[in-house]
Amino acid sequence: PPAGGLSAQSADPLPSWNEGPTKQQIVSFVEAVTDADSPDFVPEAERIAVFDNDGTLWAEQPMYIQLAFAIDRLHTLAKEKPELKEKEPYRSILNGDLKSLAAGGEHAILEVLMATHADTTTDQFSAIVADWLETARHPKTDRPYTGMVYQPMLELLAYLRASGFKTFIVSGGGVAFMRVFSEKAYGIPPEQVIGSTIVTKFEMRASGPVLVRLPKIDFIDDKEGKPVGINRNIGRRPIAAFGNSDGDLQMLQWTTAGPGRRLGAIVHHTDAEREWAYDRDSHIGRLDKALDEGRNDGWTIIDMKQDWAQVFPPRN
Amino acid sequence: PPAGGLSAQSADPLPSWNEGPTKQQIVSFVEAVTDADSPDFVPEAERIAVFDNDGTLWAEQPMYIQLAFAIDRLHTLAKEKPELKEKEPYRSILNGDLKSLAAGGEHAILEVLMATHADTTTDQFSAIVADWLETARHPKTDRPYTGMVYQPMLELLAYLRASGFKTFIVSGGGVAFMRVFSEKAYGIPPEQVIGSTIVTKFEMRASGPVLVRLPKIDFIDDKEGKPVGINRNIGRRPIAAFGNSDGDLQMLQWTTAGPGRRLGAIVHHTDAEREWAYDRDSHIGRLDKALDEGRNDGWTIIDMKQDWAQVFPPRN
Ligand SMILES: [Ca+2]
Ligand SMILES: [Ca+2]
């Protein structure tokens, strides 16, 4: 039917997706909830789709991109504060030894994130991230990090928006980091990015008001935190959720448990050649429980190797 | 010029606003930031306008509407938990004596809000608020509370949206309370409502996942909290802010201190006949410091009596 104005229905909105059940499940979901004559129709205002970021919208190997930023920033800070060079875990990291960081687990990583992400104003921090993104390159592909986004997911985001969806990021990553590139990289504006936060404080200075970032955790938007963050910033339950690890389990449960038709989907990293292959035993993006539950509950499992004709966008 | 497609430019977009400097300041701001040939032009994505709710978008006298809800809810809860009748401040409130509540100040009010707003799931709480809004009536006007919205502000919201703005509520009120009516009353969807929050917890029950509201403060979106809440949920600085009390001072400072053209505006309650007249000495919506700063800094002071041809929408 020509109504609805979905150009998506004439041309293939997902050219980087191979034909098959995965693509079919996605398209059939979108057609059902946007067709006013379908029993599954959902009014436009309620078409909320949420996306994890690391490993779902862009690559997270060999380390989270935000951690690569933190390490580069640590080198800059060590020039201003040489005492950092004497203190673990900073000393090892500055010497290029990431083993102790890995051994220290999430706690050690958090400490490094705090040390490198706080004690600036919000405007200063955004500028630091923007500068870094301009010059930093991925160690394996030598691309700018914003070139490590997944082309099929960019098409999916655009397809959903053309179908009246509002697309949100819901990530364990730092919100202030992601908001610097989310609009340009994904077409997702800052107000639709939900992530982990550190405490921020309003301060009136002689030069005017500022928001200062403090080295204190405010909110961790991961696991049980994801539905909480969704509720806090969106205030209604999404009808579609995309993740890639056990950190997305509760977001997928929360989304798919709602009434009416729902789409829960997992990006499964199965392509060691074009990207990386990892799941149950990975330290980064471990996918174990959510894979089992996804298979049992009929979530869409996106097999990167099989379902994606192309992984990354063409190089400029 | 016919470009831009602003029907706002042909018909008067603000018919309930009397002609005069106030209306002129608002219209001139909107025209400047939306005119691509103006030095003050702002791209659509950055046209963020924030509105306080109580006393700015709807009435807050003789008491905050959310407090009226809390008191009604306390009566319901007292039937289930008779022990509430023996405990202050609940005992006095249940006996219709609000003096001790007023004497107890913000702390006493917070305690009542906690006792009446927690220990439900998020879905249950929304249903309770929706039910209450259907039946409760304002003590002075006998209107449903959603009829206590200001007609000129509804026109302003619509005018801004027609001019490419995204409109947000930034209120000290509870976000879960406001989101129940914000879309219908103001055309502002839940994801554009920022407010105070209590701690919410993800819980997997036999019936499925729920979010449970706990009697513990998470965030107070008032005073210094408003720019923090804006940063947390929006992630960029608004170019226009509307408030009515000293609780909006920092939001107005934060908004107007940004580069480029900005609009800061205060609704001044000057109309004892059609609404209420109050400012520096009021317990509710006290406007003192922000009025002085607004006059000094060239913010737009909306004089309700003089600037508004009509206060409330026509009764159905
Ligand atoms: Ca992930
Ligand atoms: Ca107010």
Side-chain angles (χ1 to χ4, degrees):
Chain A
L6 272 191
S7 68
Q9 289 179 336
S10 39
D12 181 358
L14 302 173
S16 298
W17 293 70
N18 292 323
E19 298 305 322
T22 301
K23 181 173 181 170
Q24 214 166 1
Q25 282 165 33
I26 293 171
V27 171
S28 135
F29 167 78
V30 173
E31 290 181 347
V33 299
T34 55
D35 174 359
D37 297 326
S38 156
D40 297 322
F41 178 74
V42 174
E44 208 166 307
E46 292 164 29
R47 290 181 210 154
I48 304 284
V50 288
F51 291 81
D52 168 61
N53 185 39
D54 298 305
T56 298
L57 293 180
W58 74 355
E60 60 184 350
Q61 300 283 3
M63 71 168 79
Y64 292 125
I65 293 173
Q66 193 180 348
L67 187 56
F69 162 76
I71 292 171
D72 283 355
R73 175 122 180 93
L74 194 59
H75 282 277
T76 307
L77 288 172
K79 286 174 202 154
E80 299 160 21
K81 300 181 191 173
E83 66 270 23
L84 282 173
K85 292 180 199 163
E86 309 306 322
K87 206 179 153 193
E88 289 296 351
Y90 312 122
R91 200 171 89 116
S92 301
I93 297 169
L94 289 166
N95 288 324
D97 170 14
L98 299 181
K99 267 176 264 162
S100 65
L101 184 64
E106 305 222 332
H107 179 79
I109 291 178
L110 263 182
E111 200 173 317
V112 176
L113 290 179
M114 289 300 200
T116 53
H117 284 59
D119 302 322
T120 61
T121 69
T122 50
D123 287 347
Q124 286 165 345
F125 184 74
S126 299
I128 290 166
V129 175
D131 280 352
W132 181 81
L133 286 171
E134 290 253 320
T135 54
R137 293 294 177 269
H138 189 276
K140 187 182 161 188
T141 64
D142 201 40
R143 284 171 171 246
Y145 282 105
T146 49
M148 298 300 292
V149 299
Y150 301 131
Q151 175 66 23
M153 297 306 281
L154 297 183
E155 294 167 6
L156 177 58
L157 286 166
Y159 173 46
L160 288 171
R161 288 192 293 259
S163 305
F165 279 76
K166 225 172 182 173
T167 53
F168 287 81
I169 290 175
V170 179
S171 166
V175 74
F177 180 77
M178 295 184 286
R179 280 174 173 164
V180 175
F181 60 88
S182 64
E183 190 149 35
K184 209 168 153 194
Y186 305 128
I188 297 180
E191 64 268 25
Q192 286 162 223
V193 180
I194 303 167
S196 297
T197 48
I198 57 178
V199 173
T200 301
K201 195 171 157 276
F202 180 85
E203 217 178 273
M204 183 54 84
R205 294 184 178 171
S207 56
V210 292
L211 290 170
V212 184
R213 295 167 55 79
L214 304 182
K216 192 175 169 220
I217 298 270
D218 176 45
F219 177 65
I220 304 271
D221 189 47
D222 197 29
K223 301 190 177 80
E224 292 83 1
K226 289 205 174 193
V228 172
I230 288 170
N231 182 62
R232 199 179 65 168
N233 282 37
I234 306 180
R236 53 183 146 202
R237 201 191 293 233
I239 63 168
F242 299 81
N244 80 304
S245 82
D246 285 358
D248 302 309
L249 179 60
Q250 290 82 358
M251 173 170 85
L252 287 158
Q253 290 171 332
W254 175 244
T255 300
T256 56
R261 186 138 171 196
R262 305 275 158 161
L263 179 66
I266 291 174
V267 174
H268 191 190
H269 293 261
T270 52
D271 195 328
E273 276 186 35
R274 296 183 301 172
E275 209 243 6
W276 287 268
Y278 58 99
D279 48 29
R280 297 185 197 272
D281 300 321
S282 178
H283 284 293
I284 297 169
R286 176 189 173 92
L287 173 65
D288 183 38
K289 217 171 158 237
L291 188 58
D292 293 335
E293 193 156 331
R295 284 175 175 157
N296 282 335
D297 289 5
W299 300 344
T300 296
I301 312 293
I302 300 165
D303 184 317
M304 196 179 267
K305 186 171 182 175
Q306 195 171 315
D307 292 325
W308 288 0
Q310 190 177 345
V311 175
F312 298 113
R315 287 175 191 259
N316 306 353
Chain B
L6 273 191
S7 68
Q9 290 180 335
S10 40
D12 181 358
L14 302 173
S16 299
W17 293 71
N18 292 323
E19 299 305 324
T22 301
K23 181 172 181 172
Q24 215 166 359
Q25 283 165 32
I26 294 171
V27 172
S28 135
F29 167 79
V30 173
E31 289 180 348
V33 299
T34 55
D35 176 0
D37 297 326
S38 156
D40 298 321
F41 178 73
V42 175
E44 205 165 312
E46 292 164 29
R47 291 181 208 153
I48 304 283
V50 289
F51 291 80
D52 168 62
N53 184 39
D54 298 304
T56 298
L57 293 180
W58 74 353
E60 60 184 350
Q61 299 282 3
M63 71 168 80
Y64 292 126
I65 293 173
Q66 192 180 349
L67 187 56
F69 163 75
I71 292 172
D72 283 356
R73 175 120 181 95
L74 194 60
H75 282 277
T76 308
L77 288 171
K79 285 174 201 153
E80 298 160 21
K81 301 181 190 172
E83 65 271 23
L84 283 173
K85 291 179 200 164
E86 309 306 322
K87 206 180 153 191
E88 288 297 350
Y90 312 122
R91 200 171 88 119
S92 301
I93 297 168
L94 289 166
N95 288 325
D97 170 13
L98 300 181
K99 266 176 268 163
S100 64
L101 184 64
E106 304 222 334
H107 180 79
I109 291 179
L110 263 183
E111 199 173 319
V112 176
L113 290 179
M114 291 295 203
T116 53
H117 284 60
D119 301 322
T120 61
T121 69
T122 50
D123 288 347
Q124 286 166 345
F125 184 73
S126 299
I128 291 165
V129 174
D131 279 351
W132 182 79
L133 286 171
E134 290 254 318
T135 54
R137 293 295 177 268
H138 189 275
K140 186 180 162 190
T141 64
D142 201 39
R143 284 172 172 245
Y145 282 106
T146 49
M148 299 301 292
V149 299
Y150 301 132
Q151 176 65 24
M153 297 305 281
L154 297 183
E155 293 168 7
L156 177 58
L157 286 166
Y159 172 48
L160 288 171
R161 288 192 293 259
S163 307
F165 279 77
K166 226 172 181 174
T167 53
F168 287 81
I169 290 175
V170 180
S171 165
V175 73
F177 180 76
M178 293 185 286
R179 281 173 172 163
V180 175
F181 61 88
S182 64
E183 189 149 36
K184 210 169 150 191
Y186 306 129
I188 298 180
E191 62 270 24
Q192 286 163 223
V193 180
I194 302 167
S196 297
T197 49
I198 57 178
V199 174
T200 301
K201 195 172 157 276
F202 180 85
E203 215 178 275
M204 184 53 84
R205 293 184 177 171
S207 57
V210 291
L211 290 169
V212 184
R213 295 167 54 79
L214 304 182
K216 191 174 168 219
I217 297 269
D218 175 44
F219 177 66
I220 304 272
D221 189 48
D222 198 29
K223 301 188 178 78
E224 291 84 1
K226 289 203 174 192
V228 172
I230 288 170
N231 182 61
R232 201 179 65 169
N233 281 39
I234 305 179
R236 54 182 147 203
R237 202 191 290 234
I239 62 167
F242 299 81
N244 80 303
S245 82
D246 285 357
D248 301 308
L249 179 60
Q250 289 82 357
M251 172 170 86
L252 286 157
Q253 289 171 333
W254 176 244
T255 300
T256 55
R261 185 139 173 195
R262 306 276 157 160
L263 179 67
I266 291 174
V267 175
H268 191 189
H269 292 263
T270 52
D271 194 327
E273 274 187 35
R274 295 183 302 173
E275 209 243 5
W276 286 269
Y278 59 98
D279 49 29
R280 298 184 196 273
D281 300 320
S282 179
H283 284 291
I284 297 170
R286 176 190 173 92
L287 173 66
D288 183 37
K289 216 171 158 237
L291 188 57
D292 293 336
E293 193 156 330
R295 283 176 176 157
N296 282 335
D297 288 6
W299 300 345
T300 296
I301 312 293
I302 301 166
D303 183 317
M304 195 179 267
K305 186 171 181 176
Q306 195 171 316
D307 292 324
W308 288 1
Q310 192 177 343
V311 175
F312 299 113
R315 288 174 190 260
N316 306 353

